[in-house]
Amino acid sequence: MSDTLRHLAVCLATALILMSPGIPRVNAREMVAFSGYAPGMIVGKTGQRRLYYVVDDRRALRFPVGVGRVGMAWSGSARIEGKYVRPAWPPPDMIRAENPNLPEVIPGGAANNPMGAAALTVRGGEYAIHGTNRPASIGGFVSHGCIRMYNSDIQELTGL
């Protein structure tokens, strides 16, 4: 099966699952019990494909996210260094090598800009927690290390 057909099959299967009654949708953010972290911290759980925003010493908002592919998942701790609305995206060299036709910079708000509505950056902009132009990717191991969120969720997280 060609990559295009495989991608189409995955997209169709995802659409059918999301439209099926009785199956929980991946886009449900919710308040959950969560402890061990200070209020205001953002905690990513790669294996769960969830991000937690710690509200107080007992609770956090839990969001579904897309995370790094095998071998590309970000780990560690870092401070949020930047907050951007509709950020432009200069594809890193590794991604440009995979997709040589990408422009040097994709303008913020462009349909092909993977950063979505907003972004929080860490490690000098090397990684980001950002929105997405591909909402079907939420819940998967899909990125080159960044954490993808629904645009409405990153807007809530950033207070936009």
Side-chain angles (χ1 to χ4, degrees), residues 66-99:
V67 297
R69 299 175 190 159
V70 174
M72 296 184 179
W74 184 83
S75 65
S77 61
R79 291 195 177 279
I80 300 296
E81 297 169 350
K83 176 178 164 181
Y84 303 92
V85 177
R86 294 173 46 135
W89 182 61
D93 292 340
M94 176 174 51
I95 295 173
R96 289 186 55 72
E98 292 176 12
N99 303 287

mmCIF file of all heavy atoms in Angstrom, residues 66-99:
data_model
loop_
_atom_site.group_PDB
_atom_site.id
_atom_site.type_symbol
_atom_site.label_atom_id
_atom_site.label_comp_id
_atom_site.label_asym_id
_atom_site.label_seq_id
_atom_site.Cartn_x
_atom_site.Cartn_y
_atom_site.Cartn_z
ATOM 1 N N GLY A 66 -0.878 15.805 21.015
ATOM 2 C CA GLY A 66 -0.041 14.987 20.152
ATOM 3 C C GLY A 66 1.387 15.197 20.616
ATOM 4 O O GLY A 66 1.758 16.306 21.014
ATOM 5 N N VAL A 67 2.179 14.147 20.622
ATOM 6 C CA VAL A 67 3.548 14.222 21.145
ATOM 7 C C VAL A 67 4.543 13.721 20.111
ATOM 8 O O VAL A 67 4.170 13.267 19.024
ATOM 9 C CB VAL A 67 3.682 13.433 22.465
ATOM 10 C CG1 VAL A 67 2.788 14.032 23.544
ATOM 11 C CG2 VAL A 67 3.366 11.964 22.252
ATOM 12 N N GLY A 68 5.814 13.744 20.475
ATOM 13 C CA GLY A 68 6.886 13.339 19.571
ATOM 14 C C GLY A 68 6.806 11.880 19.162
ATOM 15 O O GLY A 68 6.418 11.012 19.943
ATOM 16 N N ARG A 69 7.189 11.637 17.925
ATOM 17 C CA ARG A 69 7.287 10.267 17.419
ATOM 18 C C ARG A 69 8.341 9.509 18.207
ATOM 19 O O ARG A 69 9.155 10.106 18.912
ATOM 20 C CB ARG A 69 7.694 10.281 15.947
ATOM 21 C CG ARG A 69 6.726 10.971 15.049
ATOM 22 C CD ARG A 69 7.293 11.035 13.644
ATOM 23 N NE ARG A 69 6.470 11.908 12.837
ATOM 24 C CZ ARG A 69 6.876 12.493 11.738
ATOM 25 N NH1 ARG A 69 8.107 12.308 11.301
ATOM 26 N NH2 ARG A 69 6.071 13.270 11.069
ATOM 27 N N VAL A 70 8.356 8.204 18.049
ATOM 28 C CA VAL A 70 9.348 7.379 18.724
ATOM 29 C C VAL A 70 10.748 7.917 18.416
ATOM 30 O O VAL A 70 11.082 8.178 17.263
ATOM 31 C CB VAL A 70 9.221 5.902 18.282
ATOM 32 C CG1 VAL A 70 10.342 5.070 18.874
ATOM 33 C CG2 VAL A 70 7.865 5.346 18.687
ATOM 34 N N GLY A 71 11.524 8.117 19.457
ATOM 35 C CA GLY A 71 12.871 8.649 19.303
ATOM 36 C C GLY A 71 12.938 10.156 19.178
ATOM 37 O O GLY A 71 14.027 10.725 19.109
ATOM 38 N N MET A 72 11.788 10.826 19.125
ATOM 39 C CA MET A 72 11.771 12.283 18.971
ATOM 40 C C MET A 72 11.043 12.987 20.108
ATOM 41 O O MET A 72 10.890 14.202 20.073
ATOM 42 C CB MET A 72 11.111 12.669 17.647
ATOM 43 C CG MET A 72 11.842 12.203 16.437
ATOM 44 S SD MET A 72 11.019 12.811 14.957
ATOM 45 C CE MET A 72 12.091 12.156 13.709
ATOM 46 N N ALA A 73 10.580 12.249 21.087
ATOM 47 C CA ALA A 73 9.821 12.852 22.179
ATOM 48 C C ALA A 73 10.729 13.723 23.035
ATOM 49 O O ALA A 73 11.843 13.323 23.363
ATOM 50 C CB ALA A 73 9.167 11.772 23.029
ATOM 51 N N TRP A 74 10.246 14.895 23.382
ATOM 52 C CA TRP A 74 10.983 15.791 24.251
ATOM 53 C C TRP A 74 10.851 15.283 25.674
ATOM 54 O O TRP A 74 9.811 14.774 26.078
ATOM 55 C CB TRP A 74 10.416 17.201 24.128
ATOM 56 C CG TRP A 74 11.188 18.195 24.932
ATOM 57 C CD1 TRP A 74 12.335 18.816 24.545
ATOM 58 C CD2 TRP A 74 10.911 18.658 26.242
ATOM 59 N NE1 TRP A 74 12.777 19.647 25.540
ATOM 60 C CE2 TRP A 74 11.922 19.570 26.595
ATOM 61 C CE3 TRP A 74 9.905 18.397 27.156
ATOM 62 C CZ2 TRP A 74 11.953 20.219 27.814
ATOM 63 C CZ3 TRP A 74 9.941 19.041 28.374
ATOM 64 C CH2 TRP A 74 10.954 19.940 28.691
ATOM 65 N N SER A 75 11.903 15.430 26.468
ATOM 66 C CA SER A 75 11.825 15.078 27.884
ATOM 67 C C SER A 75 12.669 16.051 28.672
ATOM 68 O O SER A 75 13.531 16.748 28.116
ATOM 69 C CB SER A 75 12.300 13.644 28.117
ATOM 70 O OG SER A 75 13.673 13.526 27.798
ATOM 71 N N GLY A 76 12.414 16.113 29.956
ATOM 72 C CA GLY A 76 13.172 17.011 30.803
ATOM 73 C C GLY A 76 12.289 18.092 31.377
ATOM 74 O O GLY A 76 11.065 18.020 31.311
ATOM 75 N N SER A 77 12.911 19.094 31.944
ATOM 76 C CA SER A 77 12.155 20.221 32.476
ATOM 77 C C SER A 77 12.750 21.507 31.910
ATOM 78 O O SER A 77 13.941 21.575 31.603
ATOM 79 C CB SER A 77 12.197 20.230 34.002
ATOM 80 O OG SER A 77 13.521 20.360 34.454
ATOM 81 N N ALA A 78 11.891 22.487 31.755
ATOM 82 C CA ALA A 78 12.318 23.771 31.197
ATOM 83 C C ALA A 78 11.301 24.841 31.561
ATOM 84 O O ALA A 78 10.154 24.521 31.893
ATOM 85 C CB ALA A 78 12.439 23.681 29.670
ATOM 86 N N ARG A 79 11.717 26.058 31.486
ATOM 87 C CA ARG A 79 10.809 27.190 31.711
ATOM 88 C C ARG A 79 10.237 27.640 30.370
ATOM 89 O O ARG A 79 10.929 27.604 29.355
ATOM 90 C CB ARG A 79 11.545 28.356 32.339
ATOM 91 C CG ARG A 79 11.977 28.111 33.752
ATOM 92 C CD ARG A 79 12.371 29.439 34.406
ATOM 93 N NE ARG A 79 12.718 29.269 35.791
ATOM 94 C CZ ARG A 79 11.834 29.173 36.788
ATOM 95 N NH1 ARG A 79 10.560 29.211 36.530
ATOM 96 N NH2 ARG A 79 12.236 29.030 38.032
ATOM 97 N N ILE A 80 9.001 28.102 30.417
ATOM 98 C CA ILE A 80 8.404 28.714 29.230
ATOM 99 C C ILE A 80 9.169 30.009 28.968
ATOM 100 O O ILE A 80 9.288 30.858 29.848
ATOM 101 C CB ILE A 80 6.900 29.000 29.439
ATOM 102 C CG1 ILE A 80 6.123 27.714 29.741
ATOM 103 C CG2 ILE A 80 6.324 29.756 28.240
ATOM 104 C CD1 ILE A 80 6.091 26.702 28.635
ATOM 105 N N GLU A 81 9.702 30.135 27.772
ATOM 106 C CA GLU A 81 10.519 31.305 27.438
ATOM 107 C C GLU A 81 9.804 32.299 26.533
ATOM 108 O O GLU A 81 10.165 33.461 26.475
ATOM 109 C CB GLU A 81 11.810 30.843 26.767
ATOM 110 C CG GLU A 81 12.669 29.987 27.677
ATOM 111 C CD GLU A 81 13.811 29.306 26.943
ATOM 112 O OE1 GLU A 81 13.854 29.331 25.690
ATOM 113 O OE2 GLU A 81 14.670 28.732 27.631
ATOM 114 N N GLY A 82 8.805 31.822 25.794
ATOM 115 C CA GLY A 82 8.112 32.712 24.875
ATOM 116 C C GLY A 82 6.656 32.340 24.733
ATOM 117 O O GLY A 82 6.278 31.179 24.909
ATOM 118 N N LYS A 83 5.843 33.335 24.441
ATOM 119 C CA LYS A 83 4.404 33.141 24.214
ATOM 120 C C LYS A 83 4.070 33.908 22.942
ATOM 121 O O LYS A 83 4.309 35.118 22.869
ATOM 122 C CB LYS A 83 3.631 33.683 25.409
ATOM 123 C CG LYS A 83 2.133 33.641 25.270
ATOM 124 C CD LYS A 83 1.499 34.156 26.560
ATOM 125 C CE LYS A 83 0.062 34.500 26.404
ATOM 126 N NZ LYS A 83 -0.529 35.012 27.642
ATOM 127 N N TYR A 84 3.560 33.196 21.943
ATOM 128 C CA TYR A 84 3.335 33.796 20.628
ATOM 129 C C TYR A 84 1.930 33.503 20.124
ATOM 130 O O TYR A 84 1.429 32.396 20.279
ATOM 131 C CB TYR A 84 4.349 33.247 19.621
ATOM 132 C CG TYR A 84 5.770 33.486 20.050
ATOM 133 C CD1 TYR A 84 6.467 32.534 20.790
ATOM 134 C CD2 TYR A 84 6.410 34.685 19.751
ATOM 135 C CE1 TYR A 84 7.771 32.762 21.209
ATOM 136 C CE2 TYR A 84 7.710 34.927 20.168
ATOM 137 C CZ TYR A 84 8.381 33.953 20.898
ATOM 138 O OH TYR A 84 9.665 34.191 21.318
ATOM 139 N N VAL A 85 1.326 34.502 19.518
ATOM 140 C CA VAL A 85 0.014 34.360 18.882
ATOM 141 C C VAL A 85 0.236 34.235 17.388
ATOM 142 O O VAL A 85 0.991 35.020 16.801
ATOM 143 C CB VAL A 85 -0.881 35.580 19.196
ATOM 144 C CG1 VAL A 85 -2.217 35.467 18.474
ATOM 145 C CG2 VAL A 85 -1.084 35.716 20.695
ATOM 146 N N ARG A 86 -0.376 33.215 16.788
ATOM 147 C CA ARG A 86 -0.236 32.943 15.349
ATOM 148 C C ARG A 86 1.221 33.072 14.901
ATOM 149 O O ARG A 86 1.554 33.877 14.028
ATOM 150 C CB ARG A 86 -1.149 33.866 14.552
ATOM 151 C CG ARG A 86 -2.623 33.600 14.801
ATOM 152 C CD ARG A 86 -3.516 34.605 14.144
ATOM 153 N NE ARG A 86 -3.105 34.860 12.773
ATOM 154 C CZ ARG A 86 -3.907 34.923 11.742
ATOM 155 N NH1 ARG A 86 -5.170 34.772 11.895
ATOM 156 N NH2 ARG A 86 -3.444 35.177 10.548
ATOM 157 N N PRO A 87 2.088 32.274 15.494
ATOM 158 C CA PRO A 87 3.522 32.412 15.195
ATOM 159 C C PRO A 87 3.889 31.981 13.781
ATOM 160 O O PRO A 87 3.322 31.030 13.238
ATOM 161 C CB PRO A 87 4.183 31.492 16.216
ATOM 162 C CG PRO A 87 3.148 30.452 16.497
ATOM 163 C CD PRO A 87 1.825 31.176 16.418
ATOM 164 N N ALA A 88 4.842 32.686 13.212
ATOM 165 C CA ALA A 88 5.456 32.220 11.966
ATOM 166 C C ALA A 88 6.300 31.000 12.331
ATOM 167 O O ALA A 88 6.669 30.814 13.492
ATOM 168 C CB ALA A 88 6.327 33.312 11.372
ATOM 169 N N TRP A 89 6.600 30.159 11.347
ATOM 170 C CA TRP A 89 7.365 28.942 11.627
ATOM 171 C C TRP A 89 8.478 28.766 10.621
ATOM 172 O O TRP A 89 8.238 28.526 9.438
ATOM 173 C CB TRP A 89 6.447 27.727 11.601
ATOM 174 C CG TRP A 89 7.134 26.441 11.920
ATOM 175 C CD1 TRP A 89 7.784 26.119 13.074
ATOM 176 C CD2 TRP A 89 7.223 25.291 11.072
ATOM 177 N NE1 TRP A 89 8.268 24.835 13.002
ATOM 178 C CE2 TRP A 89 7.938 24.297 11.779
ATOM 179 C CE3 TRP A 89 6.778 24.996 9.786
ATOM 180 C CZ2 TRP A 89 8.211 23.052 11.254
ATOM 181 C CZ3 TRP A 89 7.044 23.751 9.260
ATOM 182 C CH2 TRP A 89 7.754 22.784 9.991
ATOM 183 N N PRO A 90 9.732 28.874 11.077
ATOM 184 C CA PRO A 90 10.872 28.535 10.210
ATOM 185 C C PRO A 90 11.185 27.042 10.405
ATOM 186 O O PRO A 90 11.648 26.643 11.471
ATOM 187 C CB PRO A 90 11.995 29.417 10.745
ATOM 188 C CG PRO A 90 11.655 29.632 12.193
ATOM 189 C CD PRO A 90 10.161 29.529 12.305
ATOM 190 N N PRO A 91 10.884 26.193 9.436
ATOM 191 C CA PRO A 91 11.121 24.759 9.617
ATOM 192 C C PRO A 91 12.580 24.461 9.959
ATOM 193 O O PRO A 91 13.490 24.967 9.306
ATOM 194 C CB PRO A 91 10.766 24.158 8.252
ATOM 195 C CG PRO A 91 9.886 25.166 7.600
ATOM 196 C CD PRO A 91 10.348 26.498 8.109
ATOM 197 N N PRO A 92 12.814 23.658 11.017
ATOM 198 C CA PRO A 92 14.191 23.285 11.358
ATOM 199 C C PRO A 92 14.841 22.477 10.233
ATOM 200 O O PRO A 92 14.155 21.879 9.396
ATOM 201 C CB PRO A 92 14.034 22.423 12.611
ATOM 202 C CG PRO A 92 12.667 22.715 13.128
ATOM 203 C CD PRO A 92 11.842 23.131 11.952
ATOM 204 N N ASP A 93 16.160 22.441 10.243
ATOM 205 C CA ASP A 93 16.910 21.736 9.196
ATOM 206 C C ASP A 93 16.464 20.282 9.029
ATOM 207 O O ASP A 93 16.346 19.794 7.905
ATOM 208 C CB ASP A 93 18.408 21.784 9.482
ATOM 209 C CG ASP A 93 18.976 23.185 9.342
ATOM 210 O OD1 ASP A 93 18.334 24.028 8.676
ATOM 211 O OD2 ASP A 93 20.064 23.432 9.897
ATOM 212 N N MET A 94 16.213 19.578 10.140
ATOM 213 C CA MET A 94 15.808 18.176 10.053
ATOM 214 C C MET A 94 14.490 18.028 9.278
ATOM 215 O O MET A 94 14.341 17.131 8.457
ATOM 216 C CB MET A 94 15.654 17.576 11.457
ATOM 217 C CG MET A 94 15.141 16.142 11.444
ATOM 218 S SD MET A 94 15.087 15.313 13.055
ATOM 219 C CE MET A 94 14.227 16.470 14.080
ATOM 220 N N ILE A 95 13.555 18.924 9.522
ATOM 221 C CA ILE A 95 12.263 18.857 8.832
ATOM 222 C C ILE A 95 12.418 19.293 7.377
ATOM 223 O O ILE A 95 11.818 18.710 6.475
ATOM 224 C CB ILE A 95 11.208 19.684 9.587
ATOM 225 C CG1 ILE A 95 10.962 19.042 10.960
ATOM 226 C CG2 ILE A 95 9.915 19.786 8.781
ATOM 227 C CD1 ILE A 95 10.068 19.832 11.876
ATOM 228 N N ARG A 96 13.249 20.300 7.142
ATOM 229 C CA ARG A 96 13.488 20.742 5.753
ATOM 230 C C ARG A 96 14.157 19.635 4.947
ATOM 231 O O ARG A 96 13.913 19.491 3.758
ATOM 232 C CB ARG A 96 14.331 22.011 5.726
ATOM 233 C CG ARG A 96 13.540 23.235 6.216
ATOM 234 C CD ARG A 96 14.299 24.523 6.054
ATOM 235 N NE ARG A 96 14.756 24.766 4.704
ATOM 236 C CZ ARG A 96 13.975 25.093 3.662
ATOM 237 N NH1 ARG A 96 12.678 25.200 3.834
ATOM 238 N NH2 ARG A 96 14.490 25.306 2.484
ATOM 239 N N ALA A 97 15.014 18.817 5.590
ATOM 240 C CA ALA A 97 15.661 17.699 4.890
ATOM 241 C C ALA A 97 14.615 16.674 4.457
ATOM 242 O O ALA A 97 14.718 16.083 3.382
ATOM 243 C CB ALA A 97 16.715 17.047 5.780
ATOM 244 N N GLU A 98 13.587 16.486 5.283
ATOM 245 C CA GLU A 98 12.509 15.550 4.949
ATOM 246 C C GLU A 98 11.551 16.136 3.907
ATOM 247 O O GLU A 98 10.922 15.398 3.165
ATOM 248 C CB GLU A 98 11.703 15.192 6.201
ATOM 249 C CG GLU A 98 12.455 14.379 7.214
ATOM 250 C CD GLU A 98 11.642 14.145 8.482
ATOM 251 O OE1 GLU A 98 10.417 14.412 8.484
ATOM 252 O OE2 GLU A 98 12.234 13.692 9.474
ATOM 253 N N ASN A 99 11.416 17.457 3.907
ATOM 254 C CA ASN A 99 10.490 18.165 3.021
ATOM 255 C C ASN A 99 11.205 19.339 2.368
ATOM 256 O O ASN A 99 10.998 20.491 2.741
ATOM 257 C CB ASN A 99 9.284 18.679 3.826
ATOM 258 C CG ASN A 99 8.564 17.584 4.536
ATOM 259 O OD1 ASN A 99 7.864 16.790 3.931
ATOM 260 N ND2 ASN A 99 8.745 17.505 5.857
#
